[in-house]
Amino acid sequence: MIDWTALGSQLARLAATSPPARLLSVTVPLSRWPDVALPEQGDWCFWQRPDRGLRMLGIGKAFAATSAGAGRFAALHAAQRGLFESWQRTHDAPPPLAFTGFAFSPQGGAPLPNASLWVPELMLREQSGKVWLTLSCAATQTDEAADRWRAQWNALTPDRGTVPPAPTFIPNLLADQAFMSRGRAALHAIASGHIDKLVLTRALRIRADAAIPPAAVLRALATQHPTCATFGIGQAGQAFLGASPETLLSLSGAQVDVDALAGTAWREASLELGADKNRREHDFVAHAVAEALTELCIEVVVPNVPEIMQLNALTHLRRRVSARRPADVSAFDLIARLHPTPAVGGAPTAAAIDWLERHNDARGTWYTGGIGWIDANGDCDIAVALRCGLLAGKEATLYAGAGFVAGSDPVQEFAETEAKLAAMRAALVAASSAQNATEHQAA
């Protein structure tokens, strides 16, 4: 039971503090995670790392900053610094946080903004079995904030566990042929000696008989990929969501961790994970991450050999590169230097990006960009937006990519994108398959 009168009193005390605040946040403990559904309209965001016991759901926006272009990360850093310096909040709870996300390139990202930093009005957070509710408002809105929070909370409906309809996957032979053609062009560019690696994108459309519920897909993703970051962001009746195996940046105090993830094998593949092509593809990423961190950090450590990361049917090579950051280096400083890694763009970065732009490598929403959170202490967890798709009513678009280096086979790379698309495809069919099995047993 939430004591809304007490919350109003806490908010009034925060508003009276000096210096004047830009944003006010009150956090209260809850006995359990409430049974609430994702809003069908309005803004929401979701983050879960099942293996770390972390789950978060944000609703509405108490603060938001957006940017685009070459200076987008510097702009978000300035917005973050201004927000955090004037953020008044209760201190007997986990620090409140802001969510952030951005597209692969400095342009694009629709229907989402190109780059964004925002604080939800209501945020549920579960960590290690403890649950908190954080309520935030602009300092100019304190008089009506408590009533608004209460109305938003009461408007939340129970999660009915809606079962998604069985989807139909729509083949696009022309798009598939275009991917193969770009793959051959990529190999020609690599053979010229100016580019070492290029990452090409595919999109797959699906259609269902009824609107696809994001909550059901998120549940399936979290269940099927417990070691990944399951993420979602909804606005205007659309939802971008996925389950990413790759950490772009994790900060805990001075500790910096970044995944160098590249090189893929799967059950049906003829190419072994330890093949020369996979090793070279992985080395491009590991070296680029280490170089980026060396420019801003100290004590950069790169494991001598990659580990094997098993994700259901897919297997990847991964090195967890670590470092220590000086106090004046922020999350966005590091993101600006790290992104895009050769895992999602290519190498050398500038030449690869230029080639991809000239060959119309279209990347929808935030695919191969980043999504995650930054808390009021400056710690963060940002994942590369992979194994993802955009839901829009009865339709969805799924995204996947593959890296081309010297010796790559376009047919094999196409098969790799199919294997990666299978993660979202499986999530979309899992609930309806389970429901069919239940109905069959009942019959």
Side-chain angles (χ1 to χ4, degrees):
M1 193 70 178
I2 299 174
D3 187 339
W4 296 102
T5 301
L7 278 174
S9 299
Q10 281 186 286
L11 182 63
R13 288 194 295 271
L14 279 178
T17 59
S18 182
R22 184 175 185 179
L23 192 72
L24 304 173
S25 294
V26 177
T27 299
V28 295
L30 300 180
S31 59
R32 61 179 178 83
W33 184 274
D35 180 26
V36 295
L38 297 176
E40 293 185 4
Q41 299 297 324
D43 297 321
W44 59 265
C45 53
F46 180 85
W47 178 269
Q48 185 172 9
R49 282 199 180 267
D51 60 334
R52 301 181 189 178
L54 176 63
R55 175 170 50 160
M56 295 185 286
L57 170 63
I59 296 170
K61 290 180 178 177
F63 167 88
T66 61
S67 186
R72 58 184 178 154
F73 296 129
L76 292 188
H77 180 199
Q80 174 203 346
R81 185 173 61 247
L83 169 65
F84 286 10
E85 288 176 352
S86 60
W87 195 347
Q88 296 291 344
R89 68 266 189 190
T90 51
H91 291 281
D92 54 348
L97 54 83
F99 287 89
T100 190
F102 50 89
F104 171 73
S105 71
Q107 294 78 35
L112 301 175
N114 180 261
S116 183
L117 176 77
W118 75 97
V119 178
E121 291 180 274
L122 277 66
M123 197 191 81
L124 287 163
R125 176 173 179 171
E126 180 180 29
Q127 189 163 13
S128 302
K130 296 182 178 180
V131 181
W132 293 271
L133 172 65
T134 297
L135 303 138
S136 301
C137 71
T140 57
Q141 299 176 347
T142 55
D143 291 342
E144 65 272 15
D147 288 339
R148 177 177 171 82
W149 292 336
R150 185 172 187 171
Q152 287 178 309
W153 181 262
N154 291 336
L156 296 176
T157 58
D159 186 352
R160 303 298 185 189
T162 305
V163 176
T168 300
F169 299 92
I170 304 170
N172 188 332
L173 295 179
L174 289 177
D176 293 347
Q177 292 170 0
F179 177 88
M180 299 292 287
S181 178
R182 282 186 293 124
R184 291 188 289 270
L187 291 175
H188 180 75
I190 291 168
S192 72
H194 299 297
I195 298 177
D196 297 317
K197 178 184 177 182
L198 288 164
V199 181
L200 306 188
T201 302
R202 275 189 67 213
L204 174 68
R205 290 183 59 218
I206 72 163
R207 183 179 295 125
D209 293 333
I212 304 168
V217 182
L218 287 169
R219 280 194 296 269
L221 288 170
T223 299
Q224 295 171 355
H225 304 280
T227 60
C228 293
T230 302
F231 59 85
I233 174 172
Q235 63 177 37
Q238 299 185 79
F240 176 67
L241 46 80
S244 175
E246 183 174 355
T247 297
L248 176 66
L249 177 65
S250 173
L251 295 179
S252 179
Q255 179 66 31
V256 180
D257 291 297
V258 178
D259 280 346
L261 188 72
T264 303
W266 60 100
R267 296 188 185 107
E268 296 81 8
S270 60
L271 186 67
E272 296 294 332
L273 188 62
D276 178 68
K277 180 262 182 186
N278 276 331
R279 291 199 308 270
R280 286 186 290 112
E281 187 178 350
H282 177 81
D283 285 343
F284 286 135
V285 180
H287 294 160
V289 168
E291 182 179 357
L293 291 179
T294 299
E295 292 186 7
L296 295 175
C297 300
I298 60 173
E299 301 176 24
V300 178
V301 177
V302 182
N304 291 328
V305 295
E307 63 181 350
I308 295 175
M309 185 182 192
Q310 185 68 53
L311 296 168
N312 297 337
L314 287 167
T315 308
H316 299 289
L317 294 176
R318 180 180 71 176
R319 282 184 173 100
R320 177 61 59 84
V321 183
S322 64
R324 306 286 290 178
R325 62 163 171 161
D328 60 347
V329 172
S330 76
F332 284 114
D333 290 332
L334 290 165
I335 290 170
R337 186 60 190 86
L338 287 163
H339 177 78
T341 73
V344 295
T349 299
I353 299 306
D354 176 69
W355 191 95
L356 293 172
E357 289 178 350
R358 287 187 288 105
H359 288 79
N360 300 313
D361 186 80
R363 304 194 179 193
T365 58
W366 287 348
Y367 169 62
T368 63
I371 187 168
W373 56 265
I374 302 175
D375 72 17
N377 293 331
D379 294 344
C380 78
D381 190 7
I382 311 295
V384 182
L386 301 172
R387 314 293 193 269
C388 56
L390 178 69
L391 309 187
K394 298 180 182 180
E395 297 189 349
T397 305
L398 314 184
Y399 304 100
F404 285 71
V405 295
S408 290
D409 177 0
V411 174
Q412 185 79 13
E413 302 305 335
F414 183 92
E416 180 176 324
T417 65
E418 285 286 290
K420 291 175 177 177
L421 286 167
M424 280 293 294
R425 292 174 67 144
L428 286 162
V429 303
S432 59
S433 297
Q435 179 71 3
N436 290 337
T438 300
E439 292 174 351
H440 178 74
Q441 292 171 1

